[in-house]
Amino acid sequence: MKSSISPFGTRSCGYVLSAALAGAVLSPVGIAQAQQLQLEEILVTARKREESIQDVPVSVTSISRELNEATLRRLDDIQSFTPNVYIRNTAGTPGGAAISIRGVSYQEIDKSLDPSIGVIMEGMYLGTSSGSLLQNFDIGRVEVLRGPQGTLFGKNTIGGVINVIRSPVTMDWGLDAIVTLGEDDRNDYKLVANMPIIEDTLGVKLFGMDLNSDGYIENTTFGDDVGGDDYTTYGLATRWTPSENFAVQLHYEHEENETDAGTWANFNQADDLVCILGANPAFPFWGAAQGCQAFDTGSDEDHNSQNGRNDGETNQDYYNLTLNYDMGDWGLTAIAGYINRNENSRLEYDANSFEFLTVVSDTDYEQFSQEVRLVGSIGDVALTTGLYYWDSEYSTDSRTLD
């Protein structure tokens, strides 16, 4: 059964159950099978409280089992399971996500501009598109909320929210390891290990991932493959439950990403697709069949002729401390988060074999947030209230090479 349940799916399941009960004679086995036909309850935390997805009055898609599929490698692959959602990598931004939900999109790389779709990880808002294109690793569930979510998530979520929940610290012994080998020298290694420190009280989860590939685009200028992966992350999470109604969880993660920041070329994929200069009326002497392609004869669907790589190098440290206190009908949650991120890139914006336009950038980014939230109910009224503090700063040094 899929995690996302539509009204049609509900009617279909009811129809099968009705047909089973309508038979003239049902054996005990048939009755038992009919009784087991029921919708699985799916719990989500999209509205900052745990509730059934059928009770949530907004458009939500919950993805959990699908995360085990080999084709779902990164956050952009969830668009295959979520209607009205389009996700792509932002060219020139290390790990950047260009997300569009119901036509509201964001593709900027300037960190002074807020994304219009919020990406939340472990209750913490990721303040820039850089680093938002998360790998499908150590993720327990992804919830996609379509439409404006400003009431609960603030002004930066006019298009929607992608809420990412990591796998839990189980406090039991457990090991999950995955090795992937493939073409273009792809080799991926993933490991998640859980272990108890104090039985039912203190547990630790260790995790690490290393992704490598050469890329499948051949460069015709310096004769090497480009567009490959070089990504490493590792960290730990601890969970402490000194009592039944109080829990503390600390999550730390370090990321190193030297993946090529895009592989660009100038070529026509169709008669009506030309490069920007070729279609620009300011350059009437450039025919539609020429454009930039005239300067980039070494590029096609499997080749490019850049005189250098689009190098990217990112280092990031992520910290998250979450406290939960259960007071019966009320629950108190406090989430403190901190990110320190450094990005270096060298981008060949001209995308051809000539020394024309190369931009080198060095960016330092920090963010800190603190949320205190009280959730409960008064009679038939469900109440969510709290305080939120946010502080971020960044500095960028960008220059062109002579």
Side-chain angles (χ1 to χ4, degrees):
M1 181 176 293
K2 293 184 178 179
S3 296
S4 175
I5 300 177
S6 64
F8 176 78
T10 304
R11 289 196 298 267
S12 297
C13 192
Y15 172 78
V16 172
L17 181 58
S18 299
L21 295 178
V25 178
L26 285 178
S27 65
V29 175
I31 295 176
Q33 290 176 344
Q35 291 174 343
Q36 292 175 359
L37 289 175
Q38 57 182 341
L39 292 176
E40 177 186 358
E41 184 180 26
I42 300 172
L43 299 178
V44 297
T45 56
R47 295 200 305 162
K48 297 184 182 292
R49 62 172 69 223
E50 187 175 280
E51 54 192 340
S52 172
I53 193 172
Q54 293 177 301
D55 297 331
V56 179
V58 295
S59 179
V60 181
T61 298
S62 178
I63 302 171
S64 55
R65 295 179 182 177
E66 294 86 348
L67 296 171
N68 296 322
E69 297 187 10
T71 56
L72 210 160
R73 297 177 54 83
R74 297 187 311 188
L75 189 66
D76 50 342
D77 293 322
I78 70 171
Q79 63 188 342
S80 301
F81 305 96
T82 51
N84 303 313
V85 175
Y86 185 80
I87 306 175
R88 283 291 184 267
N89 184 20
T90 302
T93 304
I99 306 174
S100 175
I101 297 180
R102 290 181 174 176
V104 179
S105 62
Y106 175 87
Q107 300 185 40
E108 297 293 337
I109 61 175
D110 189 339
K111 290 179 171 53
S112 61
L113 302 175
D114 296 329
S116 54
I117 289 92
V119 177
I120 314 293
M121 187 171 75
E122 290 291 272
M124 178 182 174
Y125 169 69
L126 305 183
T128 71
S129 66
S130 299
S132 296
L133 195 64
L134 304 175
Q135 298 287 335
N136 181 19
F137 171 66
D138 189 35
I139 295 180
R141 186 172 72 255
V142 177
E143 300 168 354
V144 181
L145 290 75
R146 295 180 291 277
Q149 306 297 328
T151 302
L152 290 176
F153 294 95
K155 67 181 181 66
N156 304 335
T157 56
I158 59 173
V161 164
I162 298 179
N163 188 30
V164 179
I165 299 96
R166 294 289 194 180
S167 66
V169 180
T170 63
M171 295 192 185
D172 295 318
W173 291 102
L175 180 66
D176 187 7
I178 299 175
V179 176
T180 303
L181 304 176
E183 296 180 346
D184 304 310
D185 199 25
R186 170 162 296 283
N187 52 95
D188 301 348
Y189 307 94
K190 302 178 181 180
L191 177 70
V192 179
N194 274 279
M195 61 190 71
I197 305 300
I198 302 176
E199 185 177 1
D200 297 329
T201 301
L202 178 63
V204 176
K205 179 182 68 176
L206 304 175
F207 56 88
M209 176 177 63
D210 185 65
L211 308 179
N212 291 276
S213 73
D214 291 339
Y216 67 92
I217 302 296
E218 180 183 353
N219 184 276
T220 57
T221 300
F222 53 83
D224 199 2
D225 293 330
V226 293
D229 297 317
D230 187 354
Y231 179 89
T232 301
T233 185
Y234 56 85
L236 63 86
T238 63
R239 181 174 178 82
W240 178 46
T241 55
S243 64
E244 293 183 355
N245 56 354
F246 183 63
V248 180
Q249 180 161 313
L250 173 65
H251 180 103
Y252 166 74
E253 185 171 345
H254 177 74
E255 172 189 302
E256 297 176 4
N257 190 356
E258 297 184 14
T259 298
D260 287 350
T263 304
W264 305 337
N266 301 298
F267 68 93
N268 295 343
Q269 293 179 314
D271 293 339
D272 59 347
L273 179 62
V274 296
C275 90
I276 296 175
L277 288 178
N280 195 328
F283 300 90
F285 52 87
W286 290 56
Q290 296 177 340
C292 298
Q293 185 181 10
F295 294 93
D296 194 9
T297 57
S299 294
D300 55 33
E301 291 87 347
D302 301 313
H303 302 83
N304 84 334
S305 64
Q306 287 184 181
N307 56 287
R309 290 180 178 274
N310 287 331
D311 289 328
E313 182 178 352
T314 301
N315 290 276
Q316 174 176 286
D317 289 296
Y318 169 95
Y319 303 84
N320 182 298
L321 178 63
T322 302
L323 287 74
N324 284 295
Y325 183 51
D326 186 1
M327 300 178 291
D329 293 335
W330 293 85
L332 180 66
T333 299
I335 303 174
Y338 173 74
I339 292 177
N340 187 325
R341 183 177 178 87
N342 175 258
E343 303 171 6
N344 292 279
S345 63
R346 178 186 183 278
L347 304 176
E348 296 283 345
Y349 276 98
D350 55 276
N352 61 56
S353 59
F354 299 102
E355 291 284 353
F356 181 61
L357 181 58
T358 302
V359 178
V360 177
S361 299
D362 183 9
T363 301
D364 291 313
Y365 172 81
E366 286 186 277
Q367 73 169 63
F368 173 79
S369 62
Q370 175 67 65
E371 178 180 0
V372 179
R373 182 172 70 244
L374 183 65
V375 176
S377 59
I378 302 176
D380 295 332
V381 178
L383 178 66
T384 300
T385 186
L387 298 173
Y388 186 84
Y389 172 80
W390 167 271
D391 179 72
S392 67
E393 61 180 58
Y394 78 97
S395 62
T396 299
D397 177 19
S398 297
R399 61 191 183 279
T400 58
L401 296 182
D402 297 331

